[in-house]
Amino acid sequence: MTEHARRLRVAITGAEGIIGGVLRASLSDRYDFINTTRTPVEFESTVVDIRDVDGLTAALRGSDAVVHLAALADAGGDWQGTLEHNIIGMRNVYEAALQAGVPRVVFASSNHAVAQFEVDASPTLYDLDDTRTIGTDCELRPDSLYGWSKAAGETLGRFYSDVHGLQVICLRIGWVLRVDDLWQQDMGVEVAPPLDQDSLSRRAGLGHEVPQGDAEHECARAGYVETGTAQT
């Protein structure tokens, strides 16, 4: 097989997730995937924790690109989990790609990196005749620690591109459903925790428009029903 005919070898972190499954099912006829997962799975994969930069470097070696999907995907996630997986782990993927000689990284960012614009513009933003858009030209305005970690991943990608020459593509991914039925989804990992009254008061002091009604009322109006500590 000639060099021009060689299939590209693409590593996927978090290959056991929803999007990883879509990539494997849809593009396996075009790319040779090197799957990395945190635990053993039913398909072929290299088990490695993204917090282990040396293990990641070994797993990525020989790849033409890496699609970084592994993360704590929870808009209500706590600081420690966000730090370990979405900050340290994310940095490790960039560094491992650099050390392993992988020229391109595709970083799975999120709409949560700019979702505070959506929070401020809701609910009229969703009117069919509303022409406002939240595009890539908007400044970063995360709505949660999760959103902040994705914003950090985009800016760290810029650093690795400018300073180290990595080719970095950041994709802000919206909500991907495992089942094509909204009512069967756990909204708890997608919705940032509602602001408490103190936070609302501080926002008012900074000139932000304060939503009418308390957080419980606003969630109920949006159709969320409290079940335990999560909101679905």
Side-chain angles (χ1 to χ4, degrees), residues 11 18-19 96 114 134 151 171 193:
I18 299 175
I19 298 176
V114 292
I134 303 172
L171 301 178

Side-chain angles (χ1 to χ4, degrees), residues 24-219:
R24 291 185 288 104
S26 304
L27 298 176
S28 291
D29 60 336
R30 296 176 55 185
Y31 303 102
D32 289 332
F33 286 125
I34 301 172
N35 303 307
T36 72
T37 58
R38 188 178 180 184
T39 58
V41 291
E42 60 186 18
F43 55 86
E44 182 179 354
S45 74
T46 298
V47 176
V48 62
D49 194 310
I50 60 174
R51 293 172 293 183
D52 175 9
V53 67
D54 293 332
L56 264 178
T57 301
L60 299 184
R61 203 173 302 280
S63 302
D64 297 295
V66 55
V67 179
H68 176 39
L69 301 174
L72 177 62
D74 184 353
D78 63 16
W79 165 246
Q80 192 61 38
T82 301
L83 173 65
E84 291 184 9
H85 299 283
N86 297 10
I87 299 299
I88 296 175
M90 171 266 295
R91 174 266 176 189
N92 286 348
V93 171
Y94 282 123
E95 184 63 23
L98 180 66
Q99 296 302 323
V102 181
R104 175 173 292 182
V105 175
V106 179
F107 172 64
S109 185
S110 170
N111 61 302
H112 285 280
V114 292
Q116 197 59 49
F117 286 110
E118 183 179 0
V119 172
D120 288 349
S122 298
T124 56
L125 178 67
Y126 310 121
D127 293 344
L128 295 179
D129 58 352
D130 194 303
T131 60
R132 289 174 293 177
T133 59
I134 303 172
T136 56
D137 56 338
C138 293
E139 64 178 310
L140 295 169
R141 287 191 68 200
D143 65 342
S144 55
L145 285 176
Y146 171 71
W148 165 77
S149 73
K150 292 301 185 178
E154 293 184 17
T155 58
L156 191 63
R158 167 65 72 179
F159 166 76
Y160 270 88
S161 175
D162 288 344
V163 175
H164 297 295
L166 277 182
Q167 301 174 38
V168 177
I169 299 172
C170 300
L171 301 178
R172 289 179 186 163
I173 302 172
W175 195 7
V176 180
L177 307 182
R178 185 177 296 276
V179 179
D180 191 17
D181 184 348
L182 181 63
W183 300 109
Q184 294 186 33
Q185 305 309 308
D186 177 10
M187 290 287 289
V189 299
E190 278 297 322
V191 180
L195 296 177
D196 57 29
Q197 195 58 49
D198 288 341
S199 296
L200 291 174
S201 298
R202 285 193 294 271
R203 283 172 56 79
L206 292 173
H208 295 294
E209 181 179 352
V210 178
Q212 297 299 312
D214 58 24
E216 181 178 354
H217 169 75
E218 292 301 313
C219 288

